[in-house]
Amino acid sequence: QLRLVESGGGLVQPGGSLSLSCAESTSLFNLYSMGWHRQAPGKERELVAMILNNGTTNYAESVKGRFTISRGSVKNTVHLQMTNLEREDTAVYYCRALPFPRTVGAWGQGTQVTVSS
């Protein structure tokens, strides 16, 4: 059973920056993929960014050029650097990890990101 622990998030003004981190400490092997989804009030959960264990990344169109996802130096950690944040980025951000392709995977508990002046 994967266990994801998230950190980061908070309140930031428009145009500001925040970073999120997620760590999984129970797996003995490198996870196939790790990434972030978000859910804003009244909206469906959507993919923000993901990174495979070979370094391939995928971003939502709305965050390309502003967000950067990277694997940490510690096994099964992932970081999301968010810059030039917009009010529309306000949401609960959830870490997600898949141990293998086409598996259900695990979710983190979620962390709030609020972009407001």
Side-chain angles (χ1 to χ4, degrees), residues 29-44:
F29 54 90
N30 286 328
L31 298 172
Y32 169 69
S33 76
M34 296 187 75
W36 293 91
H37 288 63
R38 68 186 180 187
Q39 188 165 19
K43 295 187 177 181
E44 294 187 353

Side-chain angles (χ1 to χ4, degrees), residues 55-113:
T56 300
T57 57
N58 185 31
Y59 294 92
E61 285 296 325
S62 60
V63 307
K64 282 183 179 178
R66 301 188 297 121
F67 291 11
T68 303
I69 191 168
S70 61
R71 290 265 191 175
S73 58
V74 176
K75 186 182 70 173
N76 294 330
T77 59
V78 65
H79 307 293
L80 183 69
Q81 181 64 37
M82 304 181 290
T83 63
N84 195 19
L85 283 159
E86 303 169 354
R87 287 184 173 83
E88 293 73 23
D89 297 316
T90 295
V92 178
Y93 284 68
Y94 296 91
C95 181
R96 187 183 186 206
L98 301 182
F100 304 105
R102 295 180 293 280
T103 53
V104 174
W107 293 92
Q109 78 280 5
T111 185
Q112 178 71 45
V113 171

